[in-house]
């Protein structure tokens, strides 16, 4: 009976060790996914049909769209917390921006190879639209990293924005988040005209918001506002606007893909 009890204890200990090992491996795998992205759809090279190859490329582009969507959401969180240390976040965002560069290069090379095949008219349109989307997504990744760098500069130099700045950035970024969500949610389907109309409406709202905030910045400068902090604030607004422009271009390209 004692031997049976000892055997049972050994089995329980082994199970606990196995559970701990599995937990450790899962955590390591999660970290690996966060730190490194592999092109899983196009890594096997070209398939037999151009349509299949374009489908593989589109799946990869969808992953890239998800990445840039998450990047911008991270940027907003940083901008809304001006007193937070940013070293680790800057490094992480830089890695994500490098991933968008890698994805742009690899997906573009893949599409160039597909373009060497005999494509029908719609496939050519699809391919050109995908090329455009990849470039716009890479630009969004660049803007996200530049926004993080500006946030780091604000933190390091202890710059203080005007009293309404956080609310203004929050409202402006909400428009941009709606735009990035729009292309993210429609990346795998032909964009309906009504959705493109929403994109144009968002673009108009963004332009109006930008113009209003620029006017207010000029007024503060005329009244003796801090020049450095106001210029940095304008830089943030500029990159918000750029991401809006990129999002509209993506929406227009998605409308062409069938």
């Amino acid at each position: 009976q004692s031997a049976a009890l000892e055997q049972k204890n050994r089995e329980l200990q082994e199970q606990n060790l196995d559970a701990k090992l599995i937990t450790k491996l899962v955590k390591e795998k999660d970290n690996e996914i966060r730190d490194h992205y592999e092109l899983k759809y196009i890594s096997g090279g070209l398939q037999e049909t151009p349509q299949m190859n374009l489908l593989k490329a589109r799946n990869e582009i969808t992953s890239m769209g998800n990445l840039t969507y998450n990047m911008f959401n991270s940027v907003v969180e940083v901008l809304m917390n001006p007193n937070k240390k940013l070293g680790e976040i800057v490094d992480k965002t830089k890695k994500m921006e490098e991933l968008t560069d890698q994805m742009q290069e690899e997906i573009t090379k893949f599409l160039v190879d597909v373009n060497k095949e005999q494509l029908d008219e719609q496939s050519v349109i699809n391919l050109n639209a995908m090329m455009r989307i990849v470039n716009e997504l890479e630009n969004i990744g660049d803007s996200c990293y530049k926004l993080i760098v500006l946030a780091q500069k604000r933190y390091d130099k202890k710059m203080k924005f005007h009293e309404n700045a956080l609310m203004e950035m929050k409202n402006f970024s909400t428009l941009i988040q709606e735009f990035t969500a729009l292309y993210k949610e429609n990346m795998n389907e032909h964009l309906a005209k009504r959705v493109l109309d929403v994109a144009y409406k968002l673009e108009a709202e963004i332009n109006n918001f930008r113009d209003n905030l620029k006017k207010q910045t000029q007024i503060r400068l005329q009244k003796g506002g801090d020049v450095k902090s106001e210029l940095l604030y304008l830089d943030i607004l500029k990159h918000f606007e750029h991401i809006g422009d990129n999002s509209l271009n993506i929406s227009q390209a998605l409308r062409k893909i069938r």
Side-chain angles (χ1 to χ4, degrees), residues 173-217:
S173 65
T174 297
L175 289 174
I176 307 300
Q177 284 173 314
E178 288 182 34
F179 226 155
T180 57
L182 186 147
Y183 72 64
K184 172 181 175 288
E185 292 166 3
N186 291 276
M187 195 66 79
N188 262 329
E189 57 191 55
H190 173 64
L191 195 76
K193 184 181 182 301
R194 60 175 178 78
V195 181
L196 185 59
D197 289 340
V198 172
Y200 282 122
K201 182 180 178 182
L202 281 170
E203 172 72 2
E205 290 182 33
I206 287 169
N207 289 340
N208 290 335
F209 208 97
R210 171 209 61 199
D211 292 342
N212 183 43
L213 293 184
K214 281 186 175 181
K215 288 178 183 177
Q216 293 180 33
T217 300

Side-chain angles (χ1 to χ4, degrees), residues 33-39 60-75 92-104 137-138 140-141 144 180 183-184 187:
I33 293 171
R34 284 194 295 268
D35 292 340
H36 181 68
Y37 181 87
E38 293 184 359
L39 301 173
E60 210 69 77
I61 293 169
T62 297
S63 297
M64 190 176 181
N66 292 337
L67 177 62
T68 57
Y69 171 81
N70 292 330
M71 282 182 74
F72 185 69
N73 288 339
S74 297
V75 166
K92 181 178 179 181
T93 307
K94 180 57 179 174
K95 288 181 181 178
M96 294 171 77
E97 189 269 333
E98 289 171 352
L99 288 180
T100 62
D101 289 345
Q102 172 201 344
M103 295 174 85
Q104 179 198 31
L137 288 172
E138 194 275 332
I140 290 175
C144 286
T180 57
Y183 72 64
K184 172 181 175 288
M187 195 66 79

Side-chain angles (χ1 to χ4, degrees), residues 50-62 64 103-104 107-108 110-111 114 122-138 187-188 249-250 252-254 256-258:
Q51 288 74 22
M52 181 63 70
N53 289 322
L54 290 175
L55 178 60
K56 289 172 65 177
R58 192 162 187 183
N59 287 334
E60 210 69 77
I61 293 169
T62 297
M64 190 176 181
M103 295 174 85
Q104 179 198 31
I107 296 171
T108 299
F110 183 81
L111 289 172
V114 175
Q122 184 58 51
S123 293
V124 172
I125 293 173
N126 291 348
L127 187 145
N128 289 333
M130 289 181 193
M131 287 273 203
R132 183 181 184 188
I133 291 171
V134 169
N135 288 332
E136 299 295 342
L137 288 172
E138 194 275 332
M187 195 66 79
N188 262 329
N249 292 339
I250 292 170
Q252 291 172 332
L254 287 172
K256 296 180 179 180
I257 298 178
R258 294 183 182 275

